[in-house]
Amino acid sequence: HVLLQQPIQQQTIYVVIAKATRFCNADCYYCSSPPLTEKSLKEGEPMWDFATFKKYFDKVFPLMVEGSYWIWHGGEPMLMGPKFYLEAYDYALTQMEKFNKYINFSMQSNLLNYNEKWYPVFSEVIKGSLSTSFDPDEVSRTVKGNPETYNRLFKKALDKVLDDGFRPMVIGVYNEENAHLMHKMYDWSLSKGEQGFPLRFNYCNPSGRYEGTGEAIKPETYGTKLIELYDRWIKDVPPFTITPLDQMFKKVLD
């Protein structure tokens, strides 16, 4: 909302991260996004409506370059419902055609609410540009305080997304204790065959509420695991990418 109150400096924008809601349908203990309840809706910031999107878009779009990204984020962006994104995209498309400048839409979601009603959004609005995240230790993410519920709902939703032809990047964050589970995620994607999904292996950075707690993962540990994954990746030649290995390849080839 600060964006609507203050002038934007004349600058070139390549990425916009749009948080249409701070609320979430999960209640993971480490997350700053409040769970969606009747109380949180009354006391928290309102969720966007179409008019709010239009105000933001009209102010930002002129500064966005051709091919830049508008990323729907949160909270959990799927709480907004499919209609919101279809209406927002229809308006954005009229502006893109009017000014002959086209941008991309993407989404970061936990996927828990995915069903057939979301297919038009995933195929027409974000065009498969989708990422999600999952902790392979399967203990940190919860729905109503229960990690088993979260894991069951996530795996069911991911299978549905894959069956519908989308390949979301699955992001994991690793520390010294769970670094070995990178192989578990690789095995999971590999087991999907042609439905194998892209993987991103991020190292845990002690920031935010964990700032000042010290090194979360040793560089040697992170590097060793990436080398192990690289050896498997070039041997198996699976139909999915691994980040940051793909970025390293690109850097060398460039």
Side-chain angles (χ1 to χ4, degrees):
H1 297 279
V2 174
L3 181 62
L4 299 181
Q5 300 166 6
Q6 300 178 357
I8 301 177
Q9 296 180 353
Q10 293 301 312
Q11 56 185 328
T12 300
I13 296 178
Y14 293 90
V15 177
V16 172
I17 298 178
K19 295 177 177 284
T21 177
R22 289 196 312 115
F23 299 120
C24 189
N25 49 359
D27 48 19
C28 311
Y29 76 90
Y30 56 80
C31 187
S32 60
S33 296
L36 181 63
T37 63
E38 290 186 9
K39 182 179 179 181
S40 64
L41 278 174
K42 291 179 181 178
E43 298 178 353
E45 297 175 3
M47 300 167 74
W48 285 17
D49 56 15
F50 174 75
T52 304
F53 163 76
K54 184 177 180 298
K55 288 179 182 180
Y56 279 124
F57 190 83
D58 287 347
K59 202 161 190 177
V60 173
F61 179 67
L63 302 178
M64 298 181 72
V65 302
E66 177 81 21
S68 55
Y69 274 84
W70 179 288
I71 303 175
W72 290 111
H73 212 283
E76 173 45 50
M78 290 180 71
L79 289 177
M80 302 300 297
K83 182 180 177 182
F84 170 80
Y85 294 104
L86 293 171
E87 290 181 349
Y89 183 67
D90 282 346
Y91 176 76
L93 195 58
T94 63
Q95 297 303 103
M96 288 190 282
E97 291 173 345
K98 178 180 179 180
F99 294 99
N100 194 30
K101 180 176 67 175
Y102 294 87
I103 64 172
N104 303 294
F105 286 84
S106 184
M107 182 180 288
Q108 164 72 23
S109 167
N110 63 26
L111 303 180
L112 300 186
N113 281 359
Y114 184 78
N115 56 38
E116 62 277 359
K117 294 180 180 179
W118 282 94
Y119 186 88
V121 176
F122 280 32
S123 60
E124 299 168 20
V125 177
I126 64 174
K127 297 178 172 59
S129 180
L130 175 69
S131 62
T132 186
S133 53
F134 186 75
D135 298 326
D137 56 14
E138 301 191 22
V139 297
S140 301
R141 297 176 185 266
T142 58
V143 170
K144 296 183 178 179
N146 190 328
E148 293 182 0
T149 301
Y150 185 99
N151 297 325
R152 174 176 53 81
L153 293 175
F154 176 83
K155 292 176 182 178
K156 180 180 179 181
L158 179 60
D159 283 345
K160 175 63 175 171
V161 170
L162 296 175
D163 287 342
D164 282 348
F166 306 111
R167 299 292 178 269
M169 173 176 282
V170 180
I171 304 168
V173 179
Y174 297 87
N175 56 31
E176 197 69 25
E177 287 70 38
N178 70 1
H180 65 285
L181 296 178
M182 292 185 188
H183 287 284
K184 178 180 178 180
M185 292 302 297
Y186 180 91
D187 289 337
W188 185 10
S189 184
L190 190 66
S191 72
K192 296 296 182 179
E194 292 303 314
Q195 290 186 339
F197 44 84
L199 295 167
R200 184 181 184 106
F201 297 101
N202 288 348
Y203 60 85
C204 183
N205 181 33
S207 59
R209 71 183 68 182
Y210 294 109
E211 187 173 3
T213 58
E215 190 176 63
I217 184 171
K218 297 177 181 177
E220 295 83 1
T221 302
Y222 183 65
T224 297
K225 292 305 172 186
L226 288 183
I227 292 172
E228 292 173 0
L229 290 166
Y230 171 80
D231 289 340
R232 298 187 63 185
W233 193 38
I234 62 171
K235 178 182 177 181
D236 296 330
V237 195
F240 57 84
T241 57
I242 295 178
T243 302
L245 294 179
D246 58 341
Q247 296 175 340
M248 296 175 182
F249 271 124
K250 187 176 185 299
K251 191 68 174 179
V252 171
L253 294 174
D254 287 346

